[in-house]
Each structure stands twice: as structure tokens, then as C-alpha cells.
Amino acid sequence: MLKRILTAAVGLAAMSAGALAQGYPTRPITMIVPFAAGGPTDVIARIVGDHMSRTLGQQVVVENVAGAGGTTGIIRGAQAAPDGYTIMMGHMGTHGAAPALYPGLKYDPAKSFDPIGLAAGTPIVIVARKDFPAADFKGFLDYAKQNDSKLNQAQAGVGSVSHSTGVLFNSVVGIKPTLVAYRGTGPALNDLMSGQVDFMTDQIVNVAPQISGGTIKAYAIATPERSPALPDVPTTKEAGLPGYEVSAWNAVFAPKGLPKDINAKLVEALRAALADSTTRKRLVDLGGVVPDASGQGPEALQKLVESEVARWTPVLKGAGAGN
Ligand code: ASP
């Protein structure tokens, strides 16, 4: 008898999970962006989320939950119900650098999530206020070495992309500027444009339009090749700092334990977004690198996260930023 009741109960639970997944989504989906509006993570989330909304038949609504270099929003996302109604846009900082910098971090980038897929690669660009007194990257490095104590460097909080790539930059160049923290590089960019801070290292999708518009200066891009979005900006190697090559990325994660069909729907919606020519163009025009088929999907993202945590931990410790 008991066995029959139990079997029936298990059957019911399985059915309701199945029915839940079948109807999914029946209401809007929240995508947590762990930084301020207007920055690169926010921009990529809105571009990708826009197309995912169309595939899923429900709005993907961005919620900005900034703080602690992006870890505040990601903790919130990791602890949300794994029902497909809360997902998040993480990045190289929250899912790569953060464990080296937050000893008690309340999530494990490789274990606390169901990875959905990579959204875009984002090369790092070294940018400065437009009246920075150096004509090229070499001049910038010379000036920075002589005046580093007077320089203000913007970044989006400990463990963020701008912070970790910025700390690495300072260590490679041998400078110690003052770090100024923002809730994202969207607001940091506003202060760079108005000349309140001197420079930052940031994801290309945030800064490309302002570089093209001449409201800030780009000294170099930290990738082996130039970006088609910024063809006039030299690589760090071309410009004389080959030891500084670094790239970031943004990716969609869900809290661990999603029902299989819901997981599959989200993976497919992201895949469809990246296959859509208008969505791709919006990312590429900003300098984003759309992953090819082998770089898309949960497995590739899981591998990327594991390799990024392994890569960043010694790098940040070596740069004097680790614990
Ligand atoms: N790019 C920022 C960072 O430094 C975050 C953001 O505003 O999206 O991590």
C-alpha cells in the first residue's frame, strides 16, 4: 500500500515538473545583471535577452543588482529557485576572477550553476580621458610610470573585469594608481568622459562607441589581433606591451537544478539569439565576439569557467591582488 502511494506521489511530482516545463515560460523571466545599467554586461544582456524573449514568448526582464564586483547579484541568482524564471548574465570576473579575491565567496562558479551558454567574447581596451597628455600608448606608459600616484583608475569593484584586468595591467607596467570603484563601468565611463577619472581597462562593447565618437581615447587593445570594430586601435603587442594580452566574456547562467526541459528551452533560446543576424550584428558592431558553434552551449561554458578560475587565481595572486 505504502509503496503504491509512494509510487503515485512520485508519479505526480514527475508529472507536475513535466507539466511545469511544458508550459514554461508562463510569465516574464528575470535576468540579473550584476552591474549598473548602461555598462557592458547590461548591454549584452539586453541585446541577447531581447531575442531570447521572442523565442520564449515571454519577456526577459533585466534587473540590475550591483555591488561587490558583481558577486552580490550572482549570489542572489545562485540562491534563486531553479525554475527558469531567474537567470543571470555573469562574466569573466564573477565566474573567473572572484574566487581568488573573495575567500568566503557564497558560490562556486563551476558548481553552483547550470551553465546556459557563452553570449559574447569581449576584448579588453585600455582607455583614457580624451585630454590625457599622451599621444600614443608608449607616451601613456611613460607618463603613467612617472605620475602613477596622481592617476585615478576606474573599476567596477573587486573581482570585476575592469578590476582584475586593471590590477594585472598595473602589475605588468609596474604602476600603482589610485583605484576608484563604481557599480559598473557604465557609470565609470560617464566619469571618464567628463574627465573625473584618468583611465581604465574595460570590455570593448562598453567603450567602442565613445572611442569612435572621440569622447574618450583608446591607447591599445589587449588581444593578439586588432578588432574590426576599432581598426585604428593598435594591439598591446604592436604598441610595445606584449606581456599584456587579456580578454573577457559574458555568459548566461541559471541556478543549479533546473528541470531538464526548462534548461533545454533556455539553451535553445540563447542559441537562436546568437544565430540571428541582427543580434549578431548588434554585438559585433560593438566589438563583441560571437562564439562559433563549438564555443556555444552549456558544456563549452562549463569548461571555460573551470579554465578561467584556474587561470585567474595565480594571475591575481602574482599581481598582488589575491589572498
Ligand atoms: N565591465 C564591468 C566590469 O568591470 C562590469 C559592467 O559594468 O558590466 O566587470
Side-chain angles (χ1 to χ4, degrees), residues 31-36 38-47 62 64 88-91 161 185 203 205-206 249-251:
M31 187 185 283
I32 295 178
V33 163
F35 293 99
T41 308
D42 184 74
V43 165
I44 292 175
R46 284 173 204 274
I47 293 175
V62 166
N64 299 90
M88 63 214 100
M89 184 61 78
H91 73 356
V161 166
T185 46
Q203 297 172 263
V205 296
N206 192 36
W249 46 269
N250 280 86

Side-chain angles (χ1 to χ4, degrees), residues 134 136-148 173:
D136 56 17
F137 192 44
K138 192 181 169 307
F140 172 78
L141 293 175
D142 289 344
Y143 184 93
K145 283 181 202 165
Q146 277 154 29
N147 302 280
D148 66 338
V173 179

Side-chain angles (χ1 to χ4, degrees), residues 17-18 22 40 50 53 85 96 101 112 114 117 143 154 158 167-168 175 211 215 217 268 277 284 293 297 310 321:
Q22 245 175 39
D50 197 28
S53 301
Y85 289 101
L101 301 169
S112 311
D114 279 352
Y143 184 93
V158 172
V167 165
L168 178 62
I175 53 173
I211 295 166
T215 54
K217 261 185 195 169
E268 171 51 26
S277 56
V284 168

Side-chain angles (χ1 to χ4, degrees), residues 126-286:
I126 300 140
V127 289
R129 61 183 159 83
K130 69 172 185 301
D131 52 355
F132 196 96
D136 56 17
F137 192 44
K138 192 181 169 307
F140 172 78
L141 293 175
D142 289 344
Y143 184 93
K145 283 181 202 165
Q146 277 154 29
N147 302 280
D148 66 338
S149 62
K150 283 189 250 156
L151 289 184
N152 289 321
Q153 177 181 13
Q155 43 90 10
V158 172
S160 64
V161 166
S162 47
H163 173 265
S164 19
T165 61
V167 165
L168 178 62
F169 179 77
N170 297 344
S171 140
V172 171
V173 179
I175 53 173
K176 281 200 164 71
T178 302
L179 302 186
V180 184
Y182 291 85
R183 294 173 73 76
T185 46
L189 179 62
N190 289 339
D191 274 10
L192 194 66
M193 283 159 62
S194 65
Q196 302 201 44
V197 283
D198 297 301
F199 79 105
M200 68 177 171
T201 55
D202 194 22
Q203 297 172 263
I204 190 167
V205 296
N206 192 36
V207 290
Q210 303 302 340
I211 295 166
S212 305
T215 54
I216 58 172
K217 261 185 195 169
Y219 283 119
I221 183 164
T223 39
E225 308 287 336
R226 291 188 184 203
S227 167
L230 295 172
D232 299 335
V233 176
T235 66
T236 43
K237 193 167 171 193
E238 287 173 312
L241 194 67
Y244 186 71
E245 265 184 11
V246 62
S247 212
W249 46 269
N250 280 86
V252 180
F253 296 86
K256 187 147 201 91
L258 284 186
K260 255 194 176 156
D261 327 20
I262 292 183
N263 194 322
K265 282 190 181 173
L266 287 167
V267 170
E268 171 51 26
L270 178 57
R271 198 202 56 73
L274 297 181
D276 172 63
S277 56
T278 310
T279 305
R280 292 174 75 90
K281 186 174 184 317
R282 289 175 75 189
L283 292 168
V284 168
D285 284 353
L286 293 172

